[in-house]
Amino acid sequence: GMGREINRCVWNNMMDNPMTKDGGECRGPVKGVKVCEDCRMAKMEDIGSFHFTLCQKPWNCYLTGPKKWCEGPHRKWFEYRREMEEER
């Protein structure tokens, strides 16, 4: 079948560091890439979906990831949850 690469900062954004631990290369399937998009800098309104792994699940009410990066996705999740409850 046909596959299509999508922007990981828009779809399934994990708010993770795009660089390897030594900071020399981008993480991902292509080795040797030195410049990559930092998904932690994505605007909330540009993100289509989050992946709550590093930031953890917002409904657990604890924050294990860096607050600087995780606060926006958590806030958005609670906003969507409130909207869903109000529609019931």
Side-chain angles (χ1 to χ4, degrees), residues 20-78:
T20 56
K21 286 189 181 199
D22 65 7
E25 295 182 353
C26 297
R27 298 178 193 265
V30 180
K31 298 294 180 194
V33 176
K34 305 285 185 196
V35 178
C36 47
E37 186 175 1
D38 189 341
C39 298
R40 298 172 297 179
M41 301 299 186
K43 295 176 186 174
M44 289 298 113
E45 60 268 17
D46 294 338
I47 298 174
S49 65
F50 297 106
H51 184 126
F52 292 110
T53 295
L54 297 175
C55 291
Q56 294 300 303
K57 313 312 183 245
W59 53 89
N60 288 338
C61 298
Y62 61 86
L63 191 61
T64 59
K67 184 174 183 182
K68 179 178 180 180
W69 310 121
C70 299
E71 185 174 19
H74 281 186
R75 190 176 305 236
K76 190 57 107 173
W77 185 88
F78 282 108

